Amino acid sequence: MDIATWMTNHTVWTDFILVGLFGQSQHPALLCVVLFLVFLMALSGNALLILLIHSNTQLHTPMYFFISQLSLMDMMYISITVPKVLLDQVLGVSTISVPECGLQMFLYVTLAGSEFFFLGAMAYDRYVAICHPLRYSVLMNQKVCLLLASGCWFLGSVDGFMLTSVTMTFPFCRSQEIQHFFCEVPAVMKLSCSDTSLYETLMYLCCVLMLLIPVTVISGSYSCILLTIHRMNSAEGRRKALATCSSHMMVVTLFYGAAVYTYMLPSSYHTPQKDMVVSVFYTILTPVLNPLIYSFRNKDVTAALRKMLSVGPVFQEMVK
């Protein structure tokens, strides 16, 4: 491709067009209201979980530290997609500039990559707590937790920087329309007029590596956990350990399943409609489900919530 053609491909337009979620809907106004309510539920649920963890000293443990980080990610995750979708629907616009698209892509990939590793760190935390309870306070002290969290955020940001910088440097000349409601890497790559097969292969290998490391940690951790639970004499101990681990495995299954579909299945399995449904599931519904999974299935969190709610009437009586 000569320089003149390259310049033409990059200067024909300055904005992409997001097809969005409302194009195929017969009731876009109703869908907009539902999406707004889901967004509020996700923000309030995760914010409440973070508040409970930081305000209750009984929840100042490594497990809840990682859960608070996961809730923070979920709040950021849904905030980089849904407000743009809702605002576009209200204003009647559907464009996104190239810099905005790149920023959205970077934040989304960074958060997704970080969550991959955080789920692995959480599995390791459960392994130490159940298999080595006497050494738990030493192996999972505050310094170790901060290092693990920093490492997860760093690896996620590296993944975001690599995928975004390469994706956004390709020439786009096929269409302005992104068949998605946000700038997801595979959807943007379909607009490129150059051969992206090598990059898609490298992206596939990168995703395999990003999944393989935490999946190996998760599989190894839970194999040891199940063996330890099987040897427990206390029925109450087995029940509590299984309840804690099952909550984590539900989140792992939801998140990793969607990631495998999006980034690892061949393009023949993908259609724009399927891609949007899967993306809605893990970018919008998962942030709503995560606080429910970690709160309703956890007695410590529900006890902390009851304690917080009981403080209100007591405080009012003191004021009177």
Side-chain angles (χ1 to χ4, degrees):
M1 182 181 297
D2 57 31
I3 295 177
T5 306
W6 187 92
M7 291 296 293
T8 301
N9 290 336
H10 280 75
T11 56
V12 170
W13 70 83
T14 57
D15 293 339
F16 291 119
I17 298 173
L18 294 170
V19 173
L21 294 170
F22 303 98
Q24 303 297 324
S25 175
Q26 297 180 351
H27 306 284
L30 178 61
L31 180 59
C32 188
V33 172
V34 171
L35 192 59
F36 179 67
L37 293 176
V38 170
F39 175 64
L40 290 182
M41 288 174 58
L43 287 186
S44 57
N46 284 288
L48 178 60
L49 189 56
I50 293 173
L51 179 62
L52 286 174
I53 291 171
H54 284 273
S55 62
N56 193 303
T57 54
Q58 292 183 341
L59 301 182
H60 290 179
T61 64
M63 181 180 77
Y64 292 109
F65 167 73
F66 289 123
I67 290 176
S68 68
Q69 291 289 303
L70 192 65
S71 291
L72 176 62
M73 285 183 179
D74 286 338
M75 292 176 67
M76 296 173 66
Y77 215 36
I78 198 169
S79 296
I80 62 175
T81 55
V82 172
K84 169 68 176 172
V85 172
L86 294 175
L87 191 62
D88 285 355
Q89 177 65 16
V90 171
L91 298 179
V93 298
S94 58
T95 59
I96 183 170
S97 67
V98 174
E100 289 175 339
C101 184
L103 178 61
Q104 188 182 61
M105 184 185 297
F106 170 75
L107 293 174
Y108 153 75
V109 175
T110 295
L111 291 170
S114 299
E115 190 158 343
F116 288 154
F117 291 106
F118 260 106
L119 292 174
M122 292 172 71
Y124 173 72
D125 169 70
R126 291 298 81 209
Y127 159 74
V128 177
I130 295 172
C131 300
H132 303 282
L134 298 180
R135 302 176 60 195
Y136 182 64
S137 59
V138 176
L139 294 175
M140 294 298 297
N141 57 49
Q142 186 178 20
K143 184 178 180 180
V144 172
C145 291
L146 290 175
L147 285 173
L148 284 173
S150 300
C152 292
W153 282 105
F154 174 74
L155 291 172
S157 63
V158 169
D159 185 47
F161 177 77
M162 289 192 303
L163 291 183
T164 303
S165 59
V166 176
T167 301
M168 298 307 293
T169 54
F170 278 104
F172 302 108
C173 56
R174 289 180 179 172
S175 171
Q176 293 174 265
E177 290 189 353
I178 299 176
Q179 298 293 321
H180 220 297
F181 62 93
F182 70 100
C183 290
E184 191 173 43
V185 175
V188 175
M189 287 300 302
K190 292 177 182 178
L191 305 184
S192 177
C193 53
S194 60
D195 183 13
T196 61
S197 57
L198 177 60
Y199 173 62
E200 289 174 1
T201 302
L202 293 175
M203 184 173 67
Y204 172 81
L205 294 175
C206 178
C207 292
V208 168
L209 184 63
M210 291 284 290
L211 288 170
L212 185 61
I213 295 174
V215 164
T216 301
V217 174
I218 292 170
S219 302
S221 297
Y222 278 102
S223 297
C224 295
I225 287 171
L226 290 175
L227 288 174
T228 303
I229 291 175
H230 180 70
R231 296 170 186 157
M232 284 182 177
N233 295 323
S234 170
E236 177 66 19
R238 287 197 298 269
R239 187 198 61 77
K240 186 175 181 180
L242 285 172
T244 303
C245 295
S246 61
S247 298
H248 182 247
M249 286 307 299
M250 288 175 65
V251 175
V252 168
T253 303
L254 291 173
F255 193 76
Y256 279 52
V260 168
Y261 170 84
T262 302
Y263 289 99
M264 297 181 67
L265 289 184
S267 57
S268 58
Y269 287 86
H270 292 260
T271 64
Q273 291 74 22
K274 286 182 181 180
D275 290 348
M276 276 197 276
V277 169
V278 173
S279 294
V280 165
F281 185 77
Y282 72 87
T283 60
I284 298 175
L285 296 183
T286 299
V288 178
L289 295 175
N290 281 353
L292 299 178
I293 292 171
Y294 283 117
S295 58
F296 288 135
R297 294 177 58 86
N298 192 301
K299 290 185 177 180
D300 294 334
V301 175
T302 53
L305 180 59
R306 285 196 297 268
K307 182 179 179 180
M308 176 180 285
L309 294 176
S310 67
V311 169
V314 172
F315 180 73
Q316 292 177 0
E317 290 295 328
M318 291 175 64
V319 172
K320 292 179 181 179

